[in-house]
Amino acid sequence: MTATHTSRAAKRPATSGAHGRHPAKSRQRPNWLGGLVGWLWLAVVIVPIYWIVVTSLKTQSNYYLTNPFAPPADPTLDNYRLVIEMDFPLYFLNSIIVAIGTVIPSVLFSFMAAYAIVRSSGASRFLRGVNSLFLMGLAIPLQATVIPVYLLIIKMQLYDSLTALILPSIAFAIPLSVLVLSNFIRDVPKELFESMRLDGATEWKTLWGLAFPLTRPAVVTVSIYNALQVWNGFLLPLILTQSPDKRTLPLALAAFQGGPYGVNVPAVLASVVLTILPMLILYTVGRRQLLSGLTAGFGK
Amino acid sequence: MSAISARRTSSAAATRGGGVLPWLALPALVAFAVFALIPLIGVLLLSFTSWDTLGEIQLSGLESWKSVLTDPGLPHALWVTFLIMLLSWAFQTPASILIGVFLAGRQRYRELLAVLYFIPLLLSSAAIAITFKALLDPNFGLGAGLGLDFLTQDWLGEPGLAFGVVIFVVSWQYIPFHSLLYQGGVRQIPRSLYEAAELDGAGRVRMFFSITLPQLKYTIITSSTLMLVGSLTFFDLIFVLTEGGPGDATRALALDMYKRGFQANLMGAACVIGVILVLVGLALALLLRRIGGRDPYASQLEGA
């Protein structure tokens, strides 16, 4: 976090000056109350996660007999095998298709829009209006509009398809993506745009050749964030699909838990672990950028 | 918005770009218009119709509105939504501020903590709900496994307890994110303020209330907006955890909308709830913007 943060702060002397970068209160006595709450909360966060992993490695009979927090005496991957045999690879694939199908267009569209909004600098009434619309989209719980979305998807004859999940997800991802991306594009020094223009570059070329590479951290932030949202989305798959073979992971989890195998808690928890793994990997890879991007996107 | 005008480039460059730039915004605008703006208008229009998802959509005037507004279920759902919103805010905010201030200091383990704290945000609400349901099971859950009587209650079977569980699980999912927001906010506070206060002999508690909290004003507004507007959309968590029960104890507005629409097949009535949700969300965002004195970037970040 600190590395990206510092370079960003250095780039923007106006808002976070020299002293803004130092962590406040560095030389003070330790913050006992904060520390107590912080470590206590860590336990509250970690204990269930530890329990999920440990239990997923136990046999069902062991689950009922042993101390819930004791590590399994002889760990087994049988639960994972059961889950994988239960069509989870298919749900995985569905989730991946929906995530990629949503993230790439939403980030590209949002980037183009954010670029246009920042570069027009409020001079275009049309773009000012577009920007206000997106900002309004942030204040509205878009879930409230799912019934017209459902109707629209039926009318477009897309009901019960993965496309039905992708299209609304793109729209729902746009407001926040435009906000975060435009906050970052605004930090690109004007002189760079000017010199590109003097070299005769078109807006299209400036967009992809200059702005896009320079704001890559923001693009990564927004992509991970949107991927996370879609990966974990529940409402749209619930109302826009029907067939078991169109299920995405959260829906499959809920169905699995309510199904005949649902009493097999270790197997249910193994499926939970499997659904988290890809996001855990994505987060580990892009963590610094995600955190600094989110902080910058909301902190300004 | 003010940031845009403050950074206004030369008007010559702006007009020159004016020709191509609007076209660049078009794909995003079209996607947003078709699947967000039109449905937004649609939810209002559909609230004046009746549709059972099988037959035709028919105009029915104010019928749905009358049926929803006179339904005693509505005040209850509003109350449940308000209570979840208020309690989860009141629990999450102080905890997130304390943890955020702690994380902003110089602990050796801060980086590690920031990693671990974020994990709940990687889990889907469905996964979290399933996990806590199993953990709190009175017969096979944590309490039974450890032989602890106070844990072996019927957590999801008693209205009061189920409410507490929902608040706790929501906090479990989102406190980590908000404490990171506060961590970022605290890092932005100029250290000179603390140095000056130290010279004046202010103690730690005094500094917290006179410097840290006032300086965090915008972070508090941003975080609160995210929490409050986000709590309007809690659907999947409650749906999997309690299905609105026991009875109707945790039937919040978003769940109420789903149940009226997709379980009772009363799409008109469900759209009335949708309109109410939109209005409450907008009112909240405007209210917080007024309190904050600038755009708080109201967001449905926490929604699905």
Side-chain angles (χ1 to χ4, degrees):
Chain A
M1 176 137 186
T2 349
T4 344
H5 215 84
T6 313
S7 69
R8 286 183 47 73
K11 231 167 60 185
R12 301 171 47 247
T15 39
S16 32
H19 36 239
R21 271 183 280 143
H22 296 286
K25 312 180 174 186
S26 54
R27 277 177 306 172
Q28 288 186 12
R29 281 170 293 133
N31 176 0
W32 291 111
L33 185 59
L36 185 71
V37 176
W39 287 100
L40 201 71
W41 188 253
L42 180 71
V44 172
V45 166
I46 290 305
V47 167
I49 290 170
Y50 167 80
W51 177 79
I52 296 174
V53 176
V54 167
T55 309
S56 75
L57 298 170
K58 289 180 181 172
T59 62
Q60 199 174 355
S61 52
N62 256 337
Y63 166 69
Y64 292 123
L65 295 175
T66 55
N67 179 313
F69 293 113
D74 72 290
T76 168
L77 288 175
D78 280 357
N79 299 312
Y80 289 88
R81 210 177 50 219
L82 175 73
V83 170
I84 288 170
E85 281 165 5
M86 298 264 315
D87 279 346
F88 262 71
L90 174 69
Y91 308 140
F92 239 93
L93 188 68
N94 287 345
S95 276
I96 287 173
I97 293 172
V98 174
I100 292 177
T102 302
V103 169
I104 292 177
S106 66
V107 172
L108 292 184
F109 291 177
S110 302
F111 194 86
M112 286 158 64
Y115 177 87
I117 287 164
V118 172
R119 289 287 287 149
S120 81
S121 312
S124 155
R125 275 185 68 176
F126 170 75
L127 288 173
R128 271 206 313 260
V130 170
N131 194 30
S132 313
L133 273 182
F134 292 156
L135 284 177
M136 186 194 72
L138 287 169
I140 292 173
L142 284 176
Q143 281 79 356
T145 66
V146 290
I147 290 164
V149 168
Y150 169 72
L151 181 62
L152 204 62
I153 289 292
I154 290 177
K155 294 275 180 210
M156 294 168 107
Q157 311 217 321
L158 289 170
Y159 180 74
D160 203 22
S161 71
L162 294 182
T163 319
L165 303 180
I166 292 173
L167 293 177
S169 301
I170 293 176
F172 286 12
I174 284 173
L176 190 83
S177 309
V178 171
L179 175 74
V180 172
L181 290 172
S182 56
N183 270 344
F184 272 78
I185 299 172
R186 221 164 267 140
D187 287 346
V188 176
K190 273 179 301 186
E191 294 74 21
L192 291 178
F193 288 120
E194 288 296 309
S195 64
M196 281 290 274
R197 199 170 53 78
L198 289 175
D199 288 346
T202 59
E203 288 285 359
W204 185 252
K205 226 174 150 184
T206 314
L207 167 65
W208 300 116
L210 177 76
F212 197 76
L214 278 180
T215 50
R216 221 185 55 200
V219 174
V220 173
T221 300
V222 171
S223 304
I224 297 180
Y225 180 77
N226 289 343
L228 206 55
Q229 291 294 309
V230 179
W231 191 263
N232 290 335
F234 187 81
L235 182 59
L236 291 180
L238 180 68
I239 63 164
L240 299 178
T241 65
Q242 190 176 31
S243 329
D245 65 324
K246 297 294 186 311
R247 276 178 196 152
T248 53
L249 285 169
L251 205 56
L253 271 185
F256 185 42
Q257 177 243 4
Y261 289 90
V263 285
N264 188 348
V265 176
V268 171
L269 294 175
S271 62
V272 167
V273 172
L274 284 179
T275 64
I276 309 169
L277 278 182
M279 290 301 113
L280 200 60
I281 293 166
L282 201 62
Y283 171 63
T284 315
V285 173
R287 189 181 70 85
R288 282 171 182 278
Q289 289 185 339
L290 180 71
L291 294 188
S292 65
L294 284 179
T295 315
F298 289 108
K300 285 188 193 177
Chain B
M1 293 303 281
S2 59
I4 297 177
S5 41
R7 287 161 200 252
R8 190 180 288 262
T9 47
S10 73
S11 57
T15 16
R16 214 182 313 263
V20 204
L21 289 174
W23 294 103
L24 290 176
L26 218 55
L29 180 64
V30 170
F32 187 71
V34 174
F35 287 99
L37 286 183
I38 292 177
L40 201 55
I41 300 163
V43 76
L44 183 64
L45 294 181
L46 285 175
S47 73
F48 299 107
T49 65
S50 64
W51 180 40
D52 61 2
T53 72
L54 294 172
E56 292 290 302
I57 300 176
Q58 281 171 334
L59 269 180
S60 61
L62 290 171
E63 206 180 284
S64 299
W65 281 89
K66 253 186 238 154
S67 77
V68 170
L69 293 179
T70 55
D71 182 347
L74 180 72
H76 177 73
L78 275 168
W79 172 242
V80 166
T81 309
F82 171 76
L83 216 55
I84 290 178
M85 189 187 280
L86 191 76
L87 291 178
S88 65
W89 178 83
F91 184 55
Q92 288 183 74
T93 303
S96 306
I97 292 178
L98 272 176
I99 298 170
V101 170
F102 167 69
L103 283 177
R106 271 194 189 155
Q107 284 78 31
R108 253 170 302 167
Y109 308 108
R110 207 181 52 216
E111 282 287 300
L112 179 70
L113 286 180
V115 176
L116 298 175
Y117 274 150
F118 215 76
I119 292 178
L121 279 163
L122 303 177
L123 277 70
S124 66
S125 300
I128 292 174
I130 288 169
T131 301
F132 278 96
K133 234 170 124 173
L135 265 175
L136 295 173
D137 189 292
N139 298 317
F140 307 114
L142 207 55
L146 294 174
L148 295 172
D149 278 346
F150 72 96
L151 272 175
T152 53
Q153 310 195 45
D154 191 5
W155 289 101
L156 298 171
E158 305 262 345
L161 288 179
F163 230 97
V165 171
V166 169
I167 303 299
F168 175 80
V169 176
V170 163
S171 308
W172 191 86
Q173 190 171 11
Y174 293 116
I175 281 182
F177 175 77
H178 292 281
S179 49
L180 291 175
L181 273 189
Y182 283 114
Q183 177 194 21
V186 172
R187 291 236 176 107
Q188 301 282 328
I189 302 175
R191 226 179 76 198
S192 51
L193 290 179
Y194 293 100
E195 282 159 2
E198 212 163 10
L199 287 180
D200 291 345
R204 157 150 234 131
V205 176
R206 181 72 202 274
M207 282 190 206
F208 177 77
F209 284 105
S210 313
I211 301 174
T212 313
L213 267 191
Q215 290 284 318
L216 283 178
K217 182 182 166 196
Y218 289 130
T219 317
I220 294 175
I221 302 240
T222 304
S223 154
S224 300
T225 311
L226 294 174
M227 279 184 201
L228 297 176
V229 178
S231 69
L232 287 180
T233 65
F234 289 152
F235 168 79
D236 27 14
L237 185 85
I238 301 180
F239 183 75
V240 181
L241 195 63
T242 67
E243 273 187 83
D248 275 341
T250 55
R251 183 171 171 146
L253 278 176
L255 189 70
D256 191 55
M257 179 179 78
Y258 174 82
K259 288 199 157 183
R260 283 177 200 261
F262 293 93
Q263 287 181 354
N265 290 327
L266 296 167
M267 288 295 180
C271 284
V272 173
I273 305 287
V275 174
I276 294 173
L277 272 174
V278 170
L279 292 179
V280 175
L282 271 178
L284 272 177
L286 287 176
L287 181 75
L288 283 153
R289 185 177 176 158
R290 174 144 296 181
I291 295 173
R294 71 165 199 180
D295 198 304
Y297 303 144
S299 162
Q300 48 138 206
L301 186 77
E302 299 184 346

